[in-house]
Coordinates of all heavy atoms in Angstrom, one line a residue:
M595 N 77.1 139.6 101.8 CA 78.5 138.9 102.0 C 78.6 137.9 100.9 O 77.7 137.2 100.6 CB 78.6 138.4 103.3 CG 79.9 137.7 103.6 SD 80.1 137.1 105.3 CE 80.3 138.6 106.2
N596 N 79.8 137.8 100.4 CA 80.1 136.7 99.4 C 81.0 135.7 100.0 O 81.4 135.7 101.1 CB 80.7 137.3 98.1 CG 82.0 138.1 98.4 OD1 82.6 137.9 99.4 ND2 82.3 138.9 97.5
C597 N 81.4 134.7 99.2 CA 82.1 133.5 99.6 C 83.5 134.0 100.3 O 84.0 133.4 101.3 CB 82.4 132.6 98.5 SG 80.9 131.8 98.0
K598 N 84.1 135.0 99.6 CA 85.4 135.5 100.1 C 85.2 136.1 101.5 O 86.1 136.0 102.4 CB 86.0 136.5 99.2 CG 86.7 135.7 98.1 CD 87.3 136.7 97.1 CE 88.0 135.9 95.9 NZ 88.2 136.7 94.6
G599 N 84.2 136.8 101.7 CA 83.9 137.4 102.9 C 83.7 136.4 104.1 O 84.2 136.6 105.2
V600 N 83.1 135.2 103.7 CA 82.9 134.3 104.6 C 84.2 133.7 105.1 O 84.6 133.5 106.3 CB 82.0 133.1 104.0 CG1 81.9 131.9 105.0 CG2 80.5 133.6 103.8
I601 N 85.2 133.4 104.1 CA 86.4 132.9 104.4 C 87.2 133.8 105.3 O 87.8 133.4 106.3 CB 87.2 132.6 103.1 CG1 86.5 131.7 102.2 CG2 88.5 132.1 103.4 CD1 86.1 130.3 102.8
R602 N 87.1 135.1 104.9 CA 87.7 136.2 105.7 C 87.4 136.2 107.2 O 88.1 136.3 108.1 CB 87.6 137.5 105.1 CG 88.7 138.5 105.5 CD 88.5 139.8 104.6 NE 87.2 140.3 104.9 CZ 86.3 140.8 103.9 NH1 86.8 140.8 102.7 NH2 85.1 141.2 104.2
E603 N 86.1 135.9 107.4 CA 85.6 136.0 108.7 C 85.4 134.7 109.4 O 85.0 134.6 110.6 CB 84.2 136.7 108.8 CG 84.1 138.1 108.2 CD 84.9 139.1 108.8 OE1 85.4 138.9 110.0 OE2 85.1 140.2 108.3
L604 N 85.9 133.6 108.8 CA 85.6 132.3 109.2 C 86.1 132.1 110.7 O 85.4 131.4 111.5 CB 86.2 131.3 108.2 CG 85.9 129.8 108.4 CD1 84.4 129.6 108.5 CD2 86.6 129.0 107.4
S605 N 87.4 132.3 110.9 CA 88.0 132.1 112.1 C 87.3 132.8 113.2 O 87.1 132.3 114.4 CB 89.4 132.3 112.2 OG 89.8 133.6 111.7
N606 N 86.9 134.1 113.0 CA 86.2 134.9 114.0 C 84.9 134.3 114.3 O 84.4 134.2 115.4 CB 86.0 136.3 113.5 CG 87.4 137.1 113.6 OD1 88.2 136.8 114.2 ND2 87.5 138.1 112.7
Y607 N 84.2 133.8 113.2 CA 82.9 133.2 113.3 C 83.0 132.0 114.1 O 82.2 131.8 115.0 CB 82.4 132.8 111.8 CG 81.0 132.1 112.0 CD1 79.9 132.7 112.4 CD2 81.0 130.8 111.5 CE1 78.7 132.0 112.4 CE2 79.7 130.1 111.5 CZ 78.6 130.6 111.9 OH 77.4 130.1 112.0
I608 N 83.9 131.2 113.9 CA 84.0 129.9 114.7 C 84.5 130.2 116.2 O 84.1 129.5 117.1 CB 85.0 128.9 114.0 CG1 84.3 128.4 112.8 CG2 85.4 127.8 114.9 CD1 85.2 127.7 111.8
D609 N 85.4 131.2 116.3 CA 85.8 131.6 117.7 C 84.6 132.2 118.5 O 84.7 132.4 119.6 CB 86.9 132.6 117.6 CG 88.2 131.9 117.2 OD1 88.2 130.7 117.2 OD2 89.2 132.7 116.9
G610 N 83.5 132.6 117.7 CA 82.4 133.3 118.4 C 82.8 134.7 118.7 O 82.3 135.4 119.5
D611 N 83.7 135.2 117.8 CA 84.3 136.5 118.1 C 83.9 137.5 116.9 O 84.7 138.4 116.6 CB 85.8 136.4 118.1 CG 86.5 137.6 118.6 OD1 85.8 138.3 119.4 OD2 87.6 137.8 118.4
L612 N 82.7 137.3 116.5 CA 82.2 138.2 115.2 C 81.3 139.2 115.7 O 80.3 138.9 116.5 CB 81.6 137.2 114.2 CG 81.7 137.5 112.8 CD1 83.2 137.8 112.3 CD2 81.1 136.4 111.8
D613 N 81.4 140.3 115.1 CA 80.2 141.2 115.1 C 78.9 140.7 114.8 O 78.8 140.0 113.8 CB 80.6 142.4 114.3 CG 79.8 143.7 114.5 OD1 78.5 143.6 114.0 OD2 80.2 144.6 115.1
P614 N 77.9 141.0 115.7 CA 76.6 140.3 115.4 C 76.0 140.6 114.1 O 75.4 139.7 113.5 CB 75.7 140.9 116.5 CG 76.6 141.4 117.5 CD 78.0 141.7 117.0
I615 N 76.3 141.8 113.6 CA 75.7 142.1 112.2 C 76.4 141.4 111.2 O 75.8 140.8 110.3 CB 75.9 143.7 111.9 CG1 75.1 144.5 113.0 CG2 75.5 144.0 110.6 CD1 75.5 145.8 113.2
V616 N 77.7 141.2 111.3 CA 78.6 140.5 110.3 C 78.2 139.0 110.3 O 78.0 138.3 109.4 CB 80.1 140.6 110.7 CG1 80.8 139.8 109.6 CG2 80.4 142.1 110.5
K617 N 77.9 138.5 111.6 CA 77.6 137.1 111.8 C 76.3 136.8 111.1 O 76.0 135.8 110.5 CB 77.4 136.9 113.3 CG 77.3 135.3 113.8 CD 77.1 135.1 115.2 CE 76.7 133.8 115.4 NZ 76.1 133.6 116.8
Q618 N 75.3 137.8 111.2 CA 74.1 137.6 110.7 C 74.1 137.5 109.1 O 73.6 136.7 108.5 CB 73.2 138.7 111.0 CG 71.7 138.5 111.1 CD 70.9 139.6 111.8 OE1 71.2 140.7 111.5 NE2 70.1 139.3 112.6
E619 N 75.0 138.4 108.6 CA 75.3 138.3 107.1 C 75.8 137.0 106.7 O 75.5 136.5 105.7 CB 76.2 139.4 106.7 CG 75.5 140.8 106.7 CD 76.4 141.9 106.0 OE1 77.2 141.6 105.3 OE2 76.4 143.0 106.6
L620 N 76.8 136.6 107.4 CA 77.5 135.3 107.2 C 76.5 134.2 107.2 O 76.6 133.4 106.3 CB 78.7 135.1 108.2 CG 79.7 134.1 107.9 CD1 81.0 134.5 108.5 CD2 79.2 132.7 108.5
E621 N 75.7 134.1 108.2 CA 74.7 133.0 108.3 C 73.7 133.1 107.2 O 73.1 132.1 106.8 CB 74.0 133.1 109.7 CG 75.0 132.5 110.8 CD 74.5 132.6 112.2 OE1 73.6 133.3 112.4 OE2 75.1 132.0 113.0
R622 N 73.4 134.3 106.7 CA 72.4 134.4 105.7 C 73.1 133.9 104.4 O 72.4 133.2 103.5 CB 72.0 135.9 105.5 CG 70.6 135.9 105.3 CD 70.0 137.3 105.2 NE 70.9 138.4 104.8 CZ 70.8 139.6 105.3 NH1 70.0 139.9 106.2 NH2 71.7 140.5 104.8
H623 N 74.4 134.1 104.2 CA 75.1 133.5 103.1 C 75.1 132.0 103.1 O 74.9 131.3 102.1 CB 76.4 134.1 103.0 CG 77.3 133.5 101.9 ND1 77.3 134.1 100.6 CD2 78.0 132.4 101.8 CE1 78.1 133.4 99.8 NE2 78.5 132.3 100.5
L624 N 75.3 131.5 104.4 CA 75.4 130.0 104.5 C 74.1 129.4 104.1 O 74.1 128.2 103.7 CB 75.8 129.7 105.9 CG 77.2 129.9 106.4 CD1 77.3 129.6 107.8 CD2 78.3 129.4 105.5
E625 N 73.0 130.1 104.3 CA 71.7 129.5 104.0 C 71.5 129.1 102.5 O 70.8 128.2 102.1 CB 70.6 130.4 104.4 CG 70.2 130.4 105.8 CD 69.3 131.5 106.2 OE1 68.5 132.0 105.3 OE2 69.2 131.9 107.4
H626 N 72.2 129.9 101.7 CA 72.1 129.6 100.2 C 73.4 129.1 99.6 O 73.5 128.9 98.4 CB 71.4 130.7 99.5 CG 72.2 132.0 99.4 ND1 73.4 132.1 98.6 CD2 72.2 133.1 100.4 CE1 73.8 133.3 98.9 NE2 73.3 133.9 99.9
C627 N 74.4 129.0 100.3 CA 75.7 128.6 99.7 C 76.2 127.3 100.3 O 76.6 127.3 101.5 CB 76.7 129.7 99.9 SG 78.3 129.3 99.1
E628 N 76.0 126.2 99.6 CA 76.5 124.9 100.0 C 77.9 124.8 100.3 O 78.4 124.1 101.2 CB 76.0 123.8 99.0 CG 74.6 123.4 99.2 CD 74.2 122.4 98.2 OE1 75.0 121.4 97.9 OE2 73.0 122.3 97.9
D629 N 78.7 125.4 99.3 CA 80.2 125.4 99.5 C 80.6 125.9 100.8 O 81.4 125.3 101.6 CB 80.8 126.2 98.4 CG 80.7 125.5 97.0 OD1 80.5 124.2 97.1 OD2 80.8 126.1 96.0
C630 N 80.1 127.1 101.2 CA 80.5 127.7 102.5 C 80.1 126.9 103.7 O 80.8 126.8 104.6 CB 80.1 129.1 102.5 SG 81.1 130.2 101.4
T631 N 78.8 126.4 103.6 CA 78.3 125.7 104.6 C 79.2 124.5 104.9 O 79.5 124.2 106.0 CB 76.8 125.1 104.3 OG1 76.1 126.3 104.0 CG2 76.2 124.4 105.5
M632 N 79.6 123.8 103.8 CA 80.5 122.7 103.9 C 81.9 123.1 104.7 O 82.4 122.3 105.4 CB 80.7 122.1 102.5 CG 81.1 120.7 102.5 SD 81.4 120.1 100.8 CE 82.8 121.0 100.4
I633 N 82.3 124.2 104.1 CA 83.7 124.7 104.6 C 83.6 124.9 106.1 O 84.5 124.6 106.9 CB 84.1 126.0 103.8 CG1 84.6 125.5 102.5 CG2 85.2 126.6 104.6 CD1 84.7 126.7 101.6
V634 N 82.5 125.7 106.5 CA 82.3 126.0 107.9 C 82.2 124.7 108.7 O 82.8 124.5 109.8 CB 81.1 126.8 108.1 CG1 80.7 127.0 109.6 CG2 81.3 128.3 107.5
D635 N 81.4 123.8 108.2 CA 81.2 122.5 108.9 C 82.6 121.8 109.0 O 82.8 121.3 110.2 CB 80.3 121.6 107.9 CG 79.3 121.1 108.8 OD1 78.5 121.8 109.6 OD2 79.1 119.8 108.8
Q636 N 83.2 121.7 108.0 CA 84.6 120.9 108.0 C 85.6 121.6 108.9 O 86.3 120.9 109.6 CB 85.1 120.6 106.6 CG 84.3 119.7 105.8 CD 84.9 119.5 104.5 OE1 85.8 120.2 104.0 NE2 84.5 118.4 103.8
T637 N 85.6 122.9 108.9 CA 86.5 123.6 109.7 C 86.2 123.5 111.2 O 87.0 123.2 111.9 CB 86.5 125.1 109.3 OG1 86.6 125.3 107.8 CG2 87.5 125.8 110.1
K638 N 84.9 123.5 111.4 CA 84.5 123.2 112.9 C 84.9 121.9 113.3 O 85.4 121.7 114.4 CB 83.0 123.4 113.0 CG 82.6 124.8 113.2 CD 81.0 124.7 113.4 CE 80.5 126.2 113.6 NZ 79.0 126.1 113.5
K639 N 84.7 120.9 112.5 CA 85.0 119.6 112.8 C 86.5 119.4 113.0 O 87.0 118.7 114.0 CB 84.6 118.6 111.7 CG 83.1 118.2 111.9 CD 82.7 117.1 110.9 CE 81.2 117.0 110.9 NZ 80.7 116.9 109.6
S640 N 87.3 119.9 112.0 CA 88.7 119.8 112.2 C 89.2 120.5 113.4 O 90.3 120.1 114.1 CB 89.5 120.1 111.0 OG 88.9 121.3 110.3
I641 N 88.7 121.5 113.7 CA 89.1 122.3 114.9 C 88.7 121.4 116.2 O 89.5 121.3 117.2 CB 88.4 123.7 115.1 CG1 89.2 124.5 114.0 CG2 88.7 124.3 116.4 CD1 88.4 125.9 113.7
E642 N 87.6 120.9 116.2 CA 87.2 120.0 117.4 C 88.2 118.8 117.6 O 88.6 118.6 118.7 CB 85.7 119.4 117.1 CG 84.7 120.4 117.5 CD 83.3 120.0 117.0 OE1 83.2 118.8 116.8 OE2 82.4 121.0 116.9
I643 N 88.5 118.2 116.4 CA 89.5 117.2 116.5 C 90.9 117.7 117.0 O 91.5 117.1 117.9 CB 89.7 116.5 115.1 CG1 88.4 115.8 114.7 CG2 90.9 115.5 115.2 CD1 88.3 115.5 113.2
L644 N 91.3 118.8 116.4 CA 92.5 119.4 116.7 C 92.6 119.8 118.2 O 93.6 119.6 118.9 CB 92.6 120.8 115.9 CG 94.0 121.2 115.6 CD1 94.7 120.4 114.6 CD2 93.9 122.7 114.9
C645 N 91.5 120.3 118.7 CA 91.5 120.8 120.1 C 90.9 119.8 121.0 O 90.7 120.1 122.2 CB 90.7 122.1 120.1 SG 91.4 123.4 119.0
D646 N 90.6 118.7 120.5 CA 90.0 117.6 121.4 C 88.7 118.1 122.1 O 88.6 117.8 123.3 CB 91.1 117.1 122.5 CG 90.7 115.7 123.0 OD1 89.9 115.0 122.4 OD2 91.2 115.5 124.2
S647 N 88.0 118.9 121.4 CA 86.6 119.3 121.8 C 86.8 120.3 122.9 O 85.8 120.8 123.5 CB 85.8 118.3 122.3 OG 85.5 117.4 121.1
K648 N 88.0 120.8 123.3 CA 88.1 121.8 124.3 C 88.1 123.1 123.6 O 88.6 123.4 122.6 CB 89.4 121.7 125.0 CG 89.4 120.5 126.1 CD 90.9 120.3 126.6 CE 91.0 118.9 127.0 NZ 92.5 118.5 126.7
P649 N 87.3 124.0 124.3 CA 87.2 125.4 123.7 C 88.5 126.2 123.9 O 88.6 127.2 124.7 CB 86.1 126.0 124.6 CG 86.2 125.4 125.9 CD 86.7 124.0 125.6
V650 N 89.5 125.9 123.1 CA 90.8 126.6 123.2 C 90.9 127.5 121.9 O 90.3 127.2 120.9 CB 92.0 125.7 123.3 CG1 92.0 125.0 124.6 CG2 92.1 124.7 122.2
E651 N 91.8 128.5 122.0 CA 92.1 129.4 120.9 C 92.8 128.6 119.8 O 93.7 127.9 120.1 CB 92.9 130.6 121.4 CG 93.2 131.6 120.4 CD 92.2 132.8 120.4 OE1 91.5 132.9 121.3 OE2 92.3 133.5 119.4
L652 N 92.4 128.8 118.6 CA 93.2 128.2 117.5 C 94.4 128.9 117.2 O 94.5 130.1 117.1 CB 92.3 128.4 116.2 CG 92.6 127.5 115.0 CD1 92.6 126.0 115.2 CD2 91.7 127.9 113.8
P653 N 95.6 128.1 117.2 CA 96.9 128.8 117.1 C 97.0 129.5 115.8 O 96.3 129.1 114.8 CB 97.8 127.6 117.1 CG 97.1 126.4 117.6 CD 95.6 126.7 117.3
T654 N 97.7 130.6 115.7 CA 97.8 131.5 114.6 C 98.3 130.8 113.3 O 97.7 130.9 112.2 CB 98.7 132.6 114.9 OG1 98.4 133.2 116.1 CG2 98.5 133.8 113.8
D655 N 99.3 129.8 113.4 CA 99.8 129.2 112.3 C 98.7 128.2 111.7 O 98.6 128.1 110.6 CB 101.1 128.5 112.6 CG 101.0 127.4 113.7 OD1 100.2 127.6 114.6 OD2 101.6 126.3 113.6
V656 N 98.1 127.5 112.6 CA 97.0 126.6 112.1 C 95.9 127.4 111.4 O 95.4 127.1 110.3 CB 96.3 125.9 113.3 CG1 95.2 125.0 112.8 CG2 97.4 124.9 113.9
R657 N 95.7 128.5 112.0 CA 94.5 129.4 111.4 C 94.9 129.8 110.1 O 94.1 129.9 109.0 CB 94.3 130.6 112.3 CG 93.1 131.3 111.9 CD 92.9 132.5 112.9 NE 92.7 132.1 114.3 CZ 92.1 132.9 115.2 NH1 91.7 134.1 114.9 NH2 91.9 132.4 116.5
S658 N 96.2 130.2 109.9 CA 96.5 130.8 108.5 C 96.7 129.7 107.5 O 96.4 129.8 106.3 CB 97.9 131.6 108.6 OG 98.9 130.8 109.1
R659 N 97.1 128.5 108.0 CA 97.2 127.4 107.1 C 95.9 127.1 106.5 O 95.5 126.7 105.4 CB 97.8 126.2 107.8 CG 99.2 125.8 107.2 CD 99.8 124.5 107.8 NE 100.0 124.7 109.2 CZ 100.1 123.8 110.2 NH1 99.5 122.6 109.8 NH2 100.4 124.0 111.3
L660 N 94.9 127.0 107.5 CA 93.6 126.7 107.2 C 93.0 127.7 106.2 O 92.3 127.4 105.1 CB 92.7 126.9 108.5 CG 91.4 126.2 108.6 CD1 91.6 124.7 108.6 CD2 90.7 126.5 109.9
H661 N 93.3 129.0 106.4 CA 92.9 130.0 105.5 C 93.3 129.9 104.1 O 92.7 130.1 103.1 CB 93.2 131.4 106.0 CG 92.2 131.9 107.0 ND1 92.0 133.2 107.2 CD2 91.3 131.2 107.7 CE1 91.0 133.3 108.1 NE2 90.5 132.1 108.4
D662 N 94.7 129.5 104.0 CA 95.4 129.3 102.8 C 94.7 128.2 102.0 O 94.4 128.3 100.8 CB 96.8 128.9 103.0 CG 97.6 130.2 103.3 OD1 97.0 131.3 103.2 OD2 98.8 130.1 103.8
G663 N 94.3 127.0 102.7 CA 93.7 126.0 102.1 C 92.3 126.3 101.6 O 92.0 125.9 100.5
L664 N 91.6 127.1 102.4 CA 90.3 127.5 101.9 C 90.3 128.3 100.7 O 89.5 128.2 99.8 CB 89.6 128.1 103.1 CG 89.3 127.2 104.3 CD1 88.8 128.0 105.5 CD2 88.2 126.0 103.9
R665 N 91.2 129.3 100.8 CA 91.4 130.2 99.7 C 91.6 129.6 98.3 O 91.1 129.8 97.3 CB 92.4 131.2 100.0 CG 91.9 132.6 100.0 CD 93.1 133.6 100.4 NE 92.9 134.1 101.7 CZ 93.9 134.1 102.6 NH1 95.1 133.7 102.3 NH2 93.7 134.6 103.8
Q666 N 92.6 128.4 98.5 CA 92.9 127.7 97.3 C 91.7 126.9 96.8 O 91.4 126.9 95.6 CB 94.0 126.7 97.6 CG 95.3 127.3 97.4 CD 96.5 126.3 97.9 OE1 96.2 125.2 98.3 NE2 97.7 126.8 97.9
K667 N 90.9 126.4 97.7 CA 89.7 125.6 97.3 C 88.8 126.6 96.7 O 88.2 126.1 95.6 CB 89.1 125.1 98.7 CG 88.0 124.1 98.3 CD 87.6 123.6 99.8 CE 86.1 123.0 99.7 NZ 85.8 122.2 98.7
L668 N 88.5 127.7 97.2 CA 87.5 128.7 96.6 C 88.0 129.1 95.3 O 87.2 129.4 94.3 CB 87.2 129.8 97.5 CG 86.2 129.5 98.6 CD1 86.0 130.8 99.4 CD2 84.8 129.1 98.0
G669 N 89.3 129.3 95.2 CA 89.9 129.9 93.9 C 89.6 129.0 92.8 O 89.6 129.5 91.6
K670 N 89.5 127.7 92.9 CA 89.3 126.8 91.9 C 87.9 126.8 91.4 O 87.6 126.3 90.3 CB 89.6 125.3 92.3 CG 91.1 125.1 92.3 CD 91.3 123.7 92.7 CE 92.8 123.5 93.5 NZ 92.8 122.4 94.4
E671 N 86.9 127.3 92.2 CA 85.6 127.2 91.8 C 85.2 128.4 90.9 O 85.4 129.5 91.2 CB 84.7 127.2 93.1 CG 84.9 125.9 93.7 CD 84.3 125.8 95.1 OE1 83.4 126.6 95.4 OE2 84.6 124.9 95.8
P672 N 84.5 128.1 89.8 CA 84.0 129.0 88.9 C 82.9 129.9 89.6 O 82.1 129.5 90.2 CB 83.4 128.4 87.8 CG 83.1 127.0 88.3 CD 84.0 126.7 89.5
T673 N 83.1 131.2 89.5 CA 82.1 132.1 90.0 C 81.5 133.0 89.1 O 82.1 133.5 88.2 CB 82.6 132.9 91.2 OG1 84.0 133.3 90.9 CG2 82.6 132.2 92.5
Ligands
ZN1167 ZN1 79.6 130.9 99.7

């Protein structure tokens, strides 16, 4: 899995709604990619703040805004 794959699966990963095989691939990518680790970390944190630590579903508009932001962020990075 590459960085784009991580971004694509990010919301599912955080929701805990990811296929175990995909999740494993994603976590393997995180082990060697600081950027994605940071993104996952920050996303988790902002969701916790957003949801006041309650395990609620992320609203679709928030999710897509988040994805747009992450895509832009990744787009700037040389690969
Ligand atoms: Zn990455």
Side-chain angles (χ1 to χ4, degrees):
M595 184 178 287
N596 56 22
C597 295
K598 278 181 184 155
V600 172
I601 301 302
R602 202 176 52 226
E603 304 294 348
L604 185 59
S605 56
N606 287 335
Y607 175 63
I608 286 167
D609 286 350
D611 196 24
L612 204 58
D613 187 281
I615 295 158
V616 181
K617 189 183 169 194
Q618 213 170 41
E619 279 184 38
L620 194 149
E621 284 174 343
R622 226 173 25 214
H623 177 92
L624 291 181
E625 279 172 24
H626 63 80
C627 183
E628 281 182 30
D629 287 340
C630 287
T631 305
M632 203 179 66
I633 288 168
V634 170
D635 225 54
Q636 284 184 347
T637 307
K638 275 184 183 168
K639 273 186 200 137
S640 36
I641 289 167
E642 276 168 23
I643 293 162
L644 206 71
C645 300
D646 199 22
S647 299
K648 285 175 207 143
V650 293
E651 179 102 11
L652 193 63
T654 314
D655 63 323
V656 175
R657 193 180 294 201
S658 58
R659 245 184 293 150
L660 203 68
H661 274 204
D662 285 348
L664 293 172
R665 241 179 253 129
Q666 273 173 7
K667 187 174 157 51
L668 274 181
K670 281 180 205 154
E671 285 168 19
T673 35

